[in-house]
Amino acid sequence: MIPLFRSVPVFFLGSIFIFLFGYRLGLFPVSGALTPYMDYQDFSSMVKDVASHLVLPLACLSAFEMPGTYLLVRNVCSQQLERPYVLMDIARGLKDRHVKRHILLNSIGPVVNQVAAMLGFMVGGTLFVETVFSYQEWGFLFTMRLSKGIILSFRELLFSCPSLC
């Protein structure tokens, strides 16, 4: 089950999520960042609306990137189990919770490196996901500027995001 999401392209996974959770089950809105022509009574109702529109794109990106991270954490933790400090912790009589904490703290280095390397792919995947979900943020701004021949750095793109303005 884990390699399934990683082997499917992110735009196709988004289409599956729209069909299944948007049209079939009707749980989430299928496009846009806000419900059109909605009169928000207060700030919390607007936040709920934006959050409901954000669930499917975020789930799509997460489902695409999480299997690799999960496998990395599992493999690094299984390697740490064979280290002498784990045997020493068990021999000292530490609780399982403390032993697991030591294992996770010593396993965090490769995971942080992997997540940092994934950020570039997530930004690239965001362009496809925003197109599929009609969520006009960074990807829309990037493609509009690129079509006019303006090349932006990631910092310029981040500070010119419509939701931050």
Side-chain angles (χ1 to χ4, degrees):
M1 181 66 181
I2 288 175
L4 173 70
F5 289 129
R6 189 68 180 164
S7 62
V8 176
V10 70
F11 59 88
F12 187 70
L13 187 62
S15 300
I16 291 171
F17 279 12
I18 287 174
F19 177 73
L20 184 65
F21 296 111
Y23 289 121
R24 218 38 158 159
L25 299 175
L27 296 175
F28 300 106
V30 294
S31 66
L34 294 169
T35 304
Y37 307 111
M38 181 150 180
D39 185 27
Y40 299 110
Q41 302 299 326
D42 56 354
F43 182 71
S44 64
S45 63
M46 185 181 81
V47 169
K48 287 178 186 175
D49 186 47
V50 169
S52 68
H53 280 83
L54 191 59
V55 168
L56 283 181
L58 189 61
C60 182
L61 283 173
S62 298
F64 186 71
E65 294 295 341
M66 288 306 289
T69 306
Y70 167 74
L71 291 174
L72 177 69
V73 169
R74 189 187 70 177
N75 290 336
V76 171
C77 286
S78 67
Q79 289 175 356
Q80 292 293 322
L81 282 172
E82 300 170 358
R83 305 292 293 245
Y85 75 89
V86 175
L87 184 60
M88 186 64 184
D89 285 348
I90 294 170
R92 284 182 13 201
L94 290 177
K95 295 180 182 177
D96 285 343
R97 181 180 62 189
H98 294 294
V99 174
K100 289 177 184 176
R101 182 173 173 250
H102 285 154
I103 291 171
L104 285 174
L105 286 175
N106 288 325
S107 302
I108 201 154
V111 175
V112 168
N113 288 334
Q114 174 69 21
V115 169
M118 269 189 333
L119 286 177
F121 292 110
M122 286 193 78
V123 169
T126 303
L127 299 174
F128 294 114
V129 170
E130 286 180 9
T131 303
V132 169
F133 287 100
S134 300
Y135 201 93
Q136 297 181 351
E137 290 290 330
W138 286 323
F140 177 73
L141 181 65
F142 183 73
T143 53
M144 291 306 293
R145 296 258 177 118
L146 195 60
S147 68
K148 293 179 181 177
I150 302 170
I151 298 176
L152 297 174
S153 68
F154 182 72
R155 182 186 57 151
E156 293 169 335
L157 189 62
L158 180 66
F159 289 120
S160 62
C161 180
S163 67
L164 297 176
C165 298

